[in-house]
Amino acid sequence: MMVFSKARLVFLSVPKTGTTAYESALGPLADILVSNPPELKHAPVYRYNRFFRPMLEKFVAEDLEILAVVREPISWLGSWYRFRQRPFMAGKPNATHDLSFDDFVEGYCQGQRPGFANVGSQAKFLEPAGNGTCATKLFRYEDQAGLRAWLEERLETRIETARENVSPEMDLALSPEVEAKLRRKQAEEFALYDSIPVR
């Protein structure tokens, strides 16, 4: 999570949406940079509202814009699946080395998710707080050019990002049956993504 006081901007860090690259590029310009622990770096709206918002409204401004990036849900799950295929995950209970992508997504669709598929939810991360606090600016992960241009104008700076925290490349395709199940059981994930305008 990054806070830019002059720009009155908070950039929330939704996991697996490329925010580490922006953290590296913009961290030196941020007035507040939360990079650890992960529970604070990746503070969802409800945690931001409870712990950060009162402080920021008191010392920065009350009308802060809250920015977040949302990834297409199947791509987002694919990123988690690939991340848990990395060599350092070998032997760990959450590793996905011995699972197909279908198996991983089937696990994600369960009410009680197994550890390997317990990766959270973008929709839950961005769910508005009871007092109305919510992300006020959303970009699709796939629209990096639009996100960069918007940030450059808002922060009045040139941004150069490099790919970071990249998982192994692999061809990921869901069977039609599993994709249909995912779209049915996790409809709110797709609704959130589809609600973001294509710029």
Side-chain angles (χ1 to χ4, degrees):
M1 184 179 75
M2 293 181 284
V3 178
F4 304 91
S5 299
K6 182 183 174 187
R8 295 187 172 190
L9 177 66
V10 176
F11 193 167
L12 296 183
S13 182
V14 180
K16 298 293 164 203
T17 61
T19 49
T20 300
Y22 283 94
E23 183 182 295
S24 296
L26 297 173
L29 301 176
D31 298 294
I32 299 173
L33 168 63
V34 182
S35 57
N36 260 312
E39 294 78 13
L40 293 182
K41 172 183 176 175
H42 297 296
V45 167
Y46 80 86
R47 194 170 291 145
Y48 165 81
N49 179 60
R50 182 173 178 190
F51 297 107
F52 292 99
R53 181 193 53 77
M55 171 188 68
L56 294 175
E57 286 189 353
K58 180 168 183 168
F59 295 109
V60 179
E62 291 188 6
D63 57 344
L64 292 169
E65 181 116 54
I66 301 174
L67 166 69
V69 178
V70 178
R71 191 167 182 164
E72 191 282 322
I74 296 173
S75 173
W76 185 75
L77 288 171
S79 183
W80 274 113
Y81 173 77
R82 291 185 294 116
F83 176 78
R84 293 185 168 187
Q85 293 253 328
R86 287 179 168 190
F88 78 88
M89 291 293 295
K92 295 184 178 177
N94 292 344
T96 57
H97 294 102
D98 300 322
L99 296 168
S100 69
F101 189 39
D102 270 3
D103 291 337
F104 177 78
V105 173
E106 284 272 16
Y108 187 76
C109 288
Q110 292 179 21
Q112 191 74 20
R113 290 175 183 152
F116 65 80
N118 192 14
V119 296
S121 155
Q122 293 183 103
K124 193 72 179 164
F125 186 105
L126 292 169
E127 187 176 64
N131 64 357
T133 299
C134 63
T136 52
K137 189 72 175 179
L138 296 176
F139 275 90
R140 294 182 176 204
Y141 167 85
E142 294 74 15
D143 182 20
Q144 291 297 313
L147 172 61
R148 191 177 301 110
W150 188 87
L151 279 168
E152 286 182 343
E153 182 177 349
R154 185 67 175 257
L155 300 176
E156 300 177 341
T157 189
R158 190 99 174 97
I159 300 172
E160 295 292 335
T161 58
R163 291 187 76 200
E164 295 193 28
N165 204 18
V166 180
S167 299
E169 289 295 332
M170 59 184 70
D171 184 31
L172 295 178
L174 290 174
S175 66
E177 298 78 19
V178 173
E179 180 174 342
K181 183 176 186 179
L182 174 66
R183 289 181 179 277
R184 186 177 72 253
K185 289 198 166 266
Q186 306 298 328
E188 69 280 1
E189 305 294 331
F190 292 92
L192 169 64
Y193 182 78
D194 292 342
S195 73
I196 303 170
V198 178
R199 294 174 174 87

